Amino acid sequence: MVMQLSGSDDQFEAKLAAKLAAKLETGAEVNDAVAKILADVAQRGDAAVLDYTARFDKAEHTAQTLRVPPEAMQHAWNNLPEKLKTALELAAKRIWDYHRRQVPKDERYTEEGITLGWRWTAIETAGLYVPGGTAVYPSSVLMNAIPALAAGVKRLVMCSPTPGGEMNPMVLAAAHVAGVKEIYQIGGAQAVAAMAFGTETIPKVDVIVGPGNAYVAAAKRQVYGLVGIDSIAGPSEILVIADHTANPRWVAADLLSQAEHDPASRSVLVTPDAGLAKEVMRQVDELVETLNRADIARESWEKNGLVVQCRDVEDAARISNLVAPEHLELFVQAPEKLVEHITHAGAIFMGKWTPEAIGDYTAGPSHVLPTAGTPRFASGLSVFDFLKRSSMIQCEEQGFAHLAEATYHLAHAEGLGAHGLSVAVRLEEKG
């Protein structure tokens, strides 16, 4: 039975925190298993990757067959139904357009003989992880690859599991339209390890991005520092704030759009309208029976679903900020006004004509988003995950003279004589 809470309950925040914490489990057994896989791949390279791929994906490969032939991507694209080609091309165009606008500009300015600024340069090699277990996600190819290319990354290395040894044609077609040239048929922690350490066949990358299961998430966490990562993605989440104007059937469908991902996914409704809440729950029970992933969606809703009744939509915003959801829908009469009260959300979908699914596929922003409350300090995947910033400093003689004395005294106050000396020798040259 889906859990129901009242925002006016004295113990509400404690009950909400307990409900949210209940799903945060990456057990010690997962971390230990991942650590062994990482160490093994670091030591044995291709041999370890091949062993784990045969064991977990039941796919027999050699070092020569790990990489997908380039012609396979072209073949998959050529044989894709026209309606899917059109859909992928539309999505790719919009994702490109959104992310190219994000690319920041370099900046320099001069004051008192001192020129300062910053310069952005792209990561050289990026690793893209695309899930391929219980479901296939060609959209994730676009959402990971295109921001990287828009940022200026020159080499993309994509890894995706192929249970049974066959990669889904839609994934290959999406890679073709996105511009990915290098794909390896491996998944799980061993794929993260291969990209982090490098093997005889698979190159070491500078950053690894993309969602995955608990083992992939644990692997990304453990290799962070050796390589960069985007975030540690957990099960998908949606929170819908709905007022009296909302269509309960539409709200129910939107809640189920995330529940069907995984039994660990979470769907939350926050509303001041008790009648709406009751009707939405009835509609969820009715609609879930129509889904091809009904068992998954039902388990997710019954185990992790939450319905919260609040005072008004401003109170709903307060509750949403406590949750800090991955996806937030403002299914209200005045979303532009309510959004001013929102401080923590991975992506915000405003108004009744903006279901979360639009963001998953065709709107433009990447659907790779922070989860499990991390929108309090993290952002969704963007060009910034593939860029690094260098500070630029240049002093003319006048500028050096302006800063020299303060620099000298601060250096000696910290006991760093050579720092002070590097200033003093220049002052001596000036006489």
Side-chain angles (χ1 to χ4, degrees):
M1 185 69 178
V2 64
M3 186 175 188
Q4 300 180 58
L5 293 176
S6 170
S8 60
D9 188 330
D10 289 342
Q11 299 298 313
F12 169 71
E13 291 194 16
K15 291 177 180 178
L16 177 64
K19 178 68 172 176
L20 298 177
K23 67 177 282 193
L24 299 178
E25 76 294 318
T26 299
E29 69 281 359
V30 171
N31 286 321
D32 290 346
V34 166
K36 290 176 182 177
I37 292 172
L38 295 179
D40 194 18
V41 173
Q43 181 178 9
R44 295 198 298 129
D46 280 351
V49 170
L50 292 168
D51 286 348
Y52 290 119
T53 301
R55 176 180 167 188
F56 297 130
D57 291 340
K58 304 297 185 284
E60 298 290 341
H61 287 292
T62 66
Q64 291 70 40
T65 62
L66 277 179
R67 182 168 177 175
V68 176
E71 57 270 21
M73 288 175 267
Q74 183 67 60
H75 178 77
W77 176 254
N78 291 344
N79 288 276
L80 199 67
E82 286 301 320
K83 64 180 180 180
L84 291 178
K85 283 185 180 180
T86 300
L88 284 175
E89 287 175 331
L90 171 67
K93 180 180 182 301
R94 294 190 59 84
I95 297 165
W96 263 106
D97 186 60
Y98 180 86
H99 287 90
R100 69 176 178 81
R101 295 169 187 266
Q102 282 188 335
V103 178
K105 291 180 171 55
D106 297 345
E107 183 71 33
R108 288 197 188 188
Y109 63 96
T110 301
E111 293 178 347
E112 299 177 311
I114 306 161
T115 300
L116 300 176
W118 51 87
R119 185 183 68 167
W120 296 89
T121 54
I123 298 294
E124 289 188 1
T125 304
L128 314 178
Y129 188 89
V130 176
T134 58
V136 293
Y137 298 107
S139 58
S140 284
V141 179
L142 305 182
M143 296 291 185
N144 281 280
I146 292 174
L149 292 170
V153 174
K154 290 183 171 56
R155 185 176 188 181
L156 298 182
V157 176
M158 177 177 139
C159 289
S160 186
T162 55
E166 293 293 329
M167 186 167 286
N168 185 274
M170 272 283 284
V171 170
L172 292 176
H176 171 81
V177 77
V180 178
K181 309 294 184 186
E182 192 171 347
I183 305 177
Y184 296 92
Q185 304 179 77
I186 56 172
Q190 63 271 24
V192 175
M195 291 188 285
F197 299 113
T199 72
E200 300 90 330
T201 299
I202 301 164
K204 183 183 185 307
V205 303
D206 300 309
V207 65
I208 299 173
V209 304
N213 62 18
Y215 291 88
V216 171
K220 287 173 67 177
R221 184 181 291 110
Q222 291 184 33
V223 300
Y224 176 64
L226 176 64
V227 295
I229 62 172
D230 53 342
S231 63
I232 306 297
S236 190
E237 309 159 344
I238 186 171
L239 187 148
V240 179
I241 296 176
D243 64 11
H244 67 283
T245 67
N247 182 317
R249 190 171 181 84
W250 293 12
V251 174
D254 292 358
L255 292 168
L256 288 170
S257 73
Q258 296 310 292
E260 72 175 350
H261 271 299
D262 189 287
S265 297
R266 166 163 290 129
S267 302
V268 180
L269 170 64
V270 184
T271 179
D273 190 323
L276 177 74
K278 183 177 180 180
E279 180 60 18
V280 167
M281 288 188 287
R282 191 190 72 78
Q283 290 283 350
V284 167
D285 291 340
E286 179 180 304
L287 290 174
V288 73
E289 301 304 326
T290 68
L291 304 177
N292 62 322
R293 294 168 67 88
D295 290 345
I296 294 172
R298 188 184 304 107
E299 181 180 354
S300 168
W301 176 245
E302 292 179 355
K303 184 171 69 173
N304 300 314
L306 180 61
V307 176
V308 180
Q309 186 170 352
C310 57
R311 293 189 306 273
D312 48 38
V313 291
E314 287 77 16
D315 189 41
R318 174 187 68 86
I319 293 167
S320 176
N321 288 331
L322 292 173
V323 177
E326 177 188 17
H327 307 101
L328 171 62
E329 286 190 7
L330 304 184
F331 213 133
V332 297
Q333 190 169 26
E336 298 84 358
K337 181 179 177 181
L338 184 60
V339 77
E340 299 302 320
H341 297 273
I342 300 299
T343 53
H344 308 308
I348 303 171
F349 302 82
M350 299 173 60
K352 65 182 181 181
W353 295 108
T354 320
E356 185 278 336
I358 290 288
D360 268 352
Y361 296 109
T362 54
S366 178
H367 70 201
V368 181
L369 297 166
T371 62
T374 59
R376 288 177 289 109
F377 54 82
S379 306
L381 187 75
S382 72
V383 298
F384 293 100
D385 290 285
F386 305 98
L387 293 170
K388 46 199 170 55
R389 186 184 66 252
S390 299
S391 301
M392 307 290 287
I393 307 166
Q394 182 178 8
C395 290
E396 300 298 334
E397 185 175 342
Q398 172 199 355
F400 169 76
H402 183 67
L403 301 178
E405 184 175 352
T407 301
Y408 179 86
H409 289 308
L410 287 171
H412 278 277
E414 293 188 351
L416 298 175
H419 282 64
L421 180 63
S422 70
V423 173
V425 294
R426 287 169 170 79
L427 289 173
E428 291 170 2
E429 183 72 21
K430 283 170 55 64

